[in-house]
Amino acid sequence: MNNVCVIYGGNSKLINSLKIDLLELFDSIILISRNLISDDSNNIKCIKYDEISDIEKQLKKYIKNNKIFYISAAAFSSDKLFLNESNDTLNKSIQVNLTNNIKLIQILMSESIKQRNGTFVFISSFRADVPTKGTCIYSSSKKFVETLF
């Protein structure tokens, strides 16, 4: 059984700085992001999140019979007040911070339960607890995901 690290938000500065260290800990890394720069070398697989219909099939191919370690690092927020925000931006924030994350958790959690293993890590900021200007959707969606466990 191999150790597989699945990272949602694979283009974040934090994750990019950790890639080399993560490769020492895991047999393979799967990066999932909406703005993905391909990096299919060194046991790093990339999945662009706009391929949502395919994501379950793609993920199961990589995680089946492997120990799963999930890092949720995706984030989308705005600097505008909620009332001044466009519907497109509000919807994108909800999709990135909440909907996509829940879909990934469902896929990974069901496989983790079957295999009786799995670790889930959620990266957020103080804004999940202390909303500031332009972060109400970000804050509430991050807090929701935190409370799943």
Side-chain angles (χ1 to χ4, degrees), residues 110-142:
S110 71
E111 195 64 30
S112 291
I113 289 169
K114 285 180 201 169
Q115 297 173 179
R116 302 182 72 126
N117 76 65
T119 302
F120 292 73
V121 176
F122 301 98
I123 297 174
S124 188
S125 70
F126 72 95
R127 289 186 177 157
D129 293 317
V130 183
T132 57
K133 178 183 175 186
T135 65
C136 67
I137 299 294
Y138 169 85
S139 299
S140 58
S141 59
K142 286 292 187 174

Side-chain angles (χ1 to χ4, degrees), residues 8 30-38 40 45-59 61-62 95 100 103-104 107:
Y8 174 48
I30 302 163
L31 299 177
I32 302 167
S33 179
R34 57 187 154 74
N35 300 316
L36 201 56
I37 299 166
S38 187
D40 284 343
K45 307 295 178 216
C46 299
I47 301 173
K48 195 164 183 174
Y49 206 95
D50 62 359
E51 300 160 4
I52 186 68
S53 58
D54 272 354
I55 201 133
E56 187 165 6
K57 188 171 81 173
Q58 289 183 61
L59 260 181
K61 173 175 68 173
Y62 296 121
Q95 180 185 3
N100 293 354
K103 179 66 175 169
L104 290 169
I107 295 166

Side-chain angles (χ1 to χ4, degrees), residues 54-70:
D54 272 354
I55 201 133
E56 187 165 6
K57 188 171 81 173
Q58 289 183 61
L59 260 181
K60 285 192 174 185
K61 173 175 68 173
Y62 296 121
I63 64 174
K64 191 167 180 72
N65 299 320
N66 288 310
K67 291 182 182 177
I68 299 165
F69 190 91
Y70 176 61

Side-chain angles (χ1 to χ4, degrees), residues 97-107 144-145 148:
N97 299 327
L98 185 64
T99 311
N100 293 354
N101 220 342
I102 289 171
K103 179 66 175 169
L104 290 169
I105 291 166
Q106 288 174 319
I107 295 166
F144 178 86
V145 173
L148 288 174

